[in-house]
Amino acid sequence: MVSYGMAKARAKAWRTDWNERTEITKAIITWVDSEYEYELEIENDDHMDDEDFKDWVKKNAEEFAKEDAEENGTTFEEIDSIEYEEDYIDDDALFEGEYTAWAEFEWECETGR
């Protein structure tokens, strides 16, 4: 079995951008009615690839805005803009989750569970 520290050192050696990569975490759709401007936030809860998330939001933005307009008791007129927020990917947390799953699998294999 490989220790946590050794496994993490190996993982970091294969990735030069450890904890430097970003992902889109949220889209902010700005839409308007006849009088006001509204902002609707769509979270990237499934951690979709950036391009896939952008395509999905762009494809469904009008539908999302119409639903939001209905909830706000107004009438959707048009999409003004779509902006995206990014955040850094926590490679340490991802690695810890993967290592824990791997170690548990190894333990189950060794104990016959």
Side-chain angles (χ1 to χ4, degrees):
M1 186 169 191
V2 178
S3 72
Y4 178 85
M6 182 61 77
K8 189 170 182 180
R10 289 178 182 172
K12 288 175 107 175
W14 282 98
R15 170 154 285 164
T16 59
D17 59 353
W18 193 267
N19 284 338
E20 294 176 5
R21 298 175 298 144
T22 61
E23 68 177 340
I24 294 175
T25 56
K26 173 189 314 186
I28 301 154
I29 301 170
T30 304
W31 62 274
V32 295
D33 66 6
S34 59
E35 298 178 21
Y36 298 103
E37 189 174 273
Y38 301 85
E39 287 188 351
L40 173 62
E41 295 183 356
I42 306 294
E43 300 284 335
N44 186 1
D45 292 331
D46 296 331
H47 300 282
M48 295 171 73
D49 177 76
D50 289 355
E51 291 305 313
D52 292 340
F53 183 68
K54 284 181 177 181
D55 291 343
W56 179 75
V57 168
K58 189 181 243 185
K59 178 182 174 186
N60 296 294
E62 192 168 312
E63 181 182 325
F64 295 146
K66 286 178 181 178
E67 289 175 13
D68 194 43
E70 189 174 312
E71 289 175 12
N72 284 302
T74 188
T75 304
F76 164 80
E77 287 196 7
E78 68 178 340
I79 301 285
D80 184 48
S81 66
I82 301 174
E83 296 178 11
Y84 299 94
E85 287 187 9
E86 292 184 342
D87 199 4
Y88 285 97
I89 296 172
D90 187 352
D91 287 314
D92 293 316
L94 289 173
F95 176 80
E96 186 172 335
E98 290 174 2
Y99 181 83
T100 301
W102 172 80
E104 185 174 321
F105 173 75
E106 286 290 314
W107 178 79
E108 288 179 0
C109 288
E110 289 180 17
T111 61
R113 293 181 97 198

